[in-house]
Amino acid sequence: MLDEFLDLFLPTKCLQCLRPPSVICQTCASGLDLPAHPVTRGGLNGYSVVDYSTEVSQLIDKYKEHGVTAVAKVLAKPMVTNLLANASPGDLLVVPPSSAASIRRRGYEPATVLAAQIIRQARKAGFELKLARQALTLIEPVHDQAQLNARQRFENLANAMVGQSWLAGQPVILIDDIVTTGATLLECRRAVEEAGGFVRFFSTFAETKSKNDTQR
């Protein structure tokens, strides 16, 4: 039991190949450090680094559901490379809002942790971005998207968010870990635009291309 506890909160071996000494070994990390590719959802353009696979799913599950927040550093690195080429200084990074139940269960907001790591790495490269914390708020109860099909996802999130008034006139880049149908990011764009801001593009680590719309 103690070993399981330590592996969960203080990982001493790679989450992918199980070799020591770190949460993601250099070999596995290099396999995730890829050029981002263009992605479009519902007329909203963006970029993703990798296709959603079993290995990526396991990695993100450790990050989002098991508290291994060190994974954010690995996810952020290739996203930063792409942002350095496409973002402008002063762009606001905005993340989808988490439900209160999700925050209570996890104890943190994965997209916010990821965005904060992106900003830290970009700053080290001499590029200044800003994290717009709590820029979007959920004003309607929403269900967990994981078990919903494409139509249900869009219905679940329709008009569920509101943007802060200080977004007016601000250039925004949407940040998330995965894009599937695009329902979440498109609702974020609607809320940002309704508040007077404008979304330049989105950036995610993974893209789900499966035609099976019951996937995440």
Side-chain angles (χ1 to χ4, degrees), residues 92 94-95 97 132-139 161-170 172 188 190-198:
L92 297 182
V94 171
V95 303
R133 294 181 181 272
Q134 299 180 329
L136 302 177
T137 304
L138 286 171
I139 57 172
M161 301 178 192
V162 65
Q164 298 294 331
S165 59
W166 45 259
L167 285 170
Q170 298 296 320
V172 166
C188 288
R190 184 204 62 77
V192 167
E193 291 180 346
E194 190 170 86
F198 59 97

Side-chain angles (χ1 to χ4, degrees), residues 108-188:
Y108 63 99
E109 295 181 273
T112 299
V113 173
L114 176 59
Q117 181 60 230
I118 287 171
I119 287 174
R120 282 193 291 271
Q121 293 187 27
R123 185 173 294 135
K124 287 181 180 179
F127 198 89
E128 196 68 32
L129 295 166
K130 299 178 182 179
L131 174 55
R133 294 181 181 272
Q134 299 180 329
L136 302 177
T137 304
L138 286 171
I139 57 172
E140 297 289 343
V142 296
H143 301 289
D144 186 342
Q145 297 274 86
Q147 303 303 317
L148 304 182
N149 62 33
R151 177 182 58 80
Q152 291 169 332
R153 287 174 183 229
F154 282 97
E155 291 176 349
N156 183 43
L157 287 169
N159 299 308
M161 301 178 192
V162 65
Q164 298 294 331
S165 59
W166 45 259
L167 285 170
Q170 298 296 320
V172 166
I173 299 173
L174 299 175
I175 301 293
D176 207 355
D177 54 347
I178 305 171
V179 58
T180 301
T181 63
T184 300
L185 294 171
L186 288 168
E187 172 59 14
C188 288

